[in-house]
Amino acid sequence: MSKGVLLVNLGSPDSTDPKDVKKYLDEFLMDERVIDVPYWARTLLVRGIILNTRPEKSAEAYERIWWEEGSPLIVLSERLQEKVDSLTSVPIALAMRYGKPSIKSGLEELQAKGVDEVLIFPLYPQFAMATTETILVLAEELRKEHFPQMQFTSVPAFYNHADYIRVLGTSISEALKGVEFDHLLFSYHGVPKRHIRKSDITKSHCKIDGSCCQTASAAHQFCYRHQCYETTKLVAEYLGLEKGKFSVSFQSRLGFDPWLQPYTDRTIERKGLEGVKNLAIVCPAFVSDCLETLEEIAMEGKEIFEEAGGEKFTVVPCLNDREDWVKVLARWIDEWAHQNVAV
């Protein structure tokens, strides 16, 4: 067997043109694991309402953060792939769940190099239906249809892996060196509460009542909320943060369904109104800076905080293509490649 790795991130529109943004949003929001309602209802919501109102506004947001080389998420992911590829003994391909390069094209690239055993590596520290699960489901569908000779292994959520916590903690420490912050906010991408319950393999543990995430359960293997809080706890311990000096919130909600709370935008505003002058924020659900970190947090969040009376708003960059992060990924991959076991 010849081994190779497919790194998979979320994706991005091809450009900031509203037509490209609309095409991307259609693929993204019509995913049944992103908006998990019956197809007719999803079609009515997405193609009847959202795609007739949101692309122009989203295109303006992308315009604010777009780089000369293209989408920050794509550019940063490409840099990561190139660096990891230079350090590993097996081929490394890159794909996006939505948009280009597609998962199919990534698998074709590996196939052309003679690879028939693939490590699918979702670039998400925490498991969620709308991220890790949708990648693995689509990859398996493609395997059955186009790559029946391939074998897949996938990387489980690495939210509590000591290497990841160390690199994330170090990145925060470096970004906040010399910064006198009053509070550190850990902002994770939000998901509807029903996603948490749907992912509960015990069908009874997840109640989202503040205690279930602290009570040991097999459900935690696929519980996004638990994994977000656990990431925060482990990083806080690594950094020696005092209780009350940090907290968790959830950003990027969509629609009117109940999503995980507290909401990031309201938390940022509340901190300013409560007299917090220096707020720092990190987004550990993302390994690459993107629209949600560069525009929603670094721009909109800053505006919200300053309007509420805050003064200094410090955003910790994502791990992106940091050398220590690259080395960790390369080591995990080589361990898989040489020991014939999953990371």
Side-chain angles (χ1 to χ4, degrees):
M1 301 289 286
S2 179
K3 297 184 175 184
V5 177
L6 186 66
L7 300 176
V8 190
N9 215 329
L10 179 73
S12 177
D14 291 337
S15 77
T16 60
D17 187 302
K19 289 181 182 177
D20 283 336
V21 174
K22 183 175 182 178
K23 180 182 176 185
Y24 170 76
L25 289 176
D26 182 69
E27 183 183 4
F28 175 41
L29 298 176
M30 284 300 293
D31 185 339
E32 65 181 356
R33 284 174 173 76
V34 173
I35 298 182
D36 56 322
V37 296
Y39 180 79
W40 67 266
R42 189 163 64 254
T43 302
L44 183 64
L45 174 63
V46 175
R47 294 175 177 165
I49 301 174
I50 296 175
L51 294 185
N52 290 315
T53 58
R54 186 158 174 166
E56 290 280 349
K57 185 179 178 184
S58 292
E60 290 175 5
Y62 277 109
E63 186 72 41
R64 295 179 79 187
I65 59 108
W66 210 256
W67 290 352
E68 208 172 288
E69 309 100 298
S71 159
L73 172 67
I74 302 294
V75 174
L76 289 165
S77 297
E78 289 173 342
R79 291 177 185 171
L80 179 68
Q81 179 263 329
E82 289 168 5
K83 288 185 176 182
V84 173
D85 191 47
S86 72
L87 294 180
T88 54
S89 58
V90 295
I92 310 293
L94 176 68
M96 299 291 146
R97 174 57 182 86
Y98 313 102
K100 301 172 186 173
S102 67
I103 292 178
K104 184 183 178 187
S105 71
L107 291 171
E108 287 172 342
E109 180 184 330
L110 292 173
Q111 184 181 50
K113 294 178 179 178
V115 171
D116 52 13
E117 186 174 353
V118 181
L119 178 65
I120 306 290
F121 201 133
L123 290 169
Y124 300 106
Q126 301 84 18
F127 174 92
M129 273 176 54
T131 55
T132 311
E133 185 175 309
T134 187
I135 286 171
L136 299 180
V137 168
L138 177 58
E140 181 58 20
E141 289 174 358
L142 290 168
R143 189 195 67 78
K144 288 178 179 176
E145 186 174 355
H146 302 286
F147 310 97
Q149 78 287 357
M150 282 185 166
Q151 291 183 13
F152 287 172
T153 304
S154 62
V155 174
F158 50 87
Y159 67 98
N160 59 352
H161 196 295
D163 289 341
Y164 167 69
I165 296 300
R166 173 177 52 79
V167 171
L168 178 58
T170 301
S171 75
I172 294 170
S173 179
E174 290 178 0
L176 298 182
K177 189 175 182 179
V179 176
E180 294 295 327
F181 64 94
D182 302 318
H183 192 85
L184 175 59
L185 183 63
F186 289 76
S187 177
Y188 296 85
H189 199 291
V191 299
K193 289 184 176 180
R194 67 175 178 275
H195 282 203
I196 304 298
R197 296 189 177 97
K198 279 188 174 184
S199 298
D200 180 3
I201 56 175
T202 71
K203 304 301 179 188
S204 62
H205 181 78
C206 293
K207 298 181 174 59
I208 316 181
D209 59 2
S211 65
C212 56
C213 282
Q214 313 302 323
T215 307
S217 170
H220 292 171
Q221 182 182 354
F222 301 108
C223 179
Y224 179 73
R225 186 179 185 275
H226 163 79
Q227 293 181 9
C228 291
Y229 276 96
E230 190 68 11
T231 301
T232 303
K233 181 188 119 182
L234 293 171
V235 172
E237 289 173 356
Y238 180 86
L239 294 174
L241 296 177
E242 298 173 17
K243 196 171 182 181
K245 184 91 171 178
F246 64 95
S247 59
V248 170
S249 63
F250 298 90
Q251 64 184 87
S252 314
R253 63 190 182 279
L254 174 70
F256 301 100
D257 291 329
W259 281 49
L260 292 180
Q261 295 184 33
Y263 299 136
T264 293
D265 53 356
R266 294 179 186 174
T267 302
I268 290 172
E269 181 181 41
R270 189 177 70 251
K271 290 298 179 186
L273 294 173
E274 289 174 351
V276 171
K277 296 301 179 185
N278 301 311
L279 181 66
I281 187 163
V282 62
C283 303
F286 308 93
V287 298
S288 305
D289 275 308
C290 53
L291 186 71
E292 287 81 359
T293 63
L294 299 172
E295 198 271 342
E296 183 181 355
I297 297 299
M299 294 179 183
E300 289 185 11
K302 184 173 186 286
E303 291 171 10
I304 292 170
F305 186 59
E306 290 176 348
E307 286 175 7
E311 295 175 359
K312 186 171 179 58
F313 189 80
T314 306
V315 180
V316 177
C318 290
L319 298 180
N320 296 323
D321 60 339
R322 287 175 57 94
E323 295 305 319
D324 51 1
W325 174 229
V326 170
K327 288 176 181 176
V328 162
L329 291 183
R331 188 170 74 253
W332 289 353
I333 288 167
D334 273 340
E335 285 174 358
W336 167 78
H338 296 305
Q339 296 178 19
N340 200 33
V341 294
V343 175

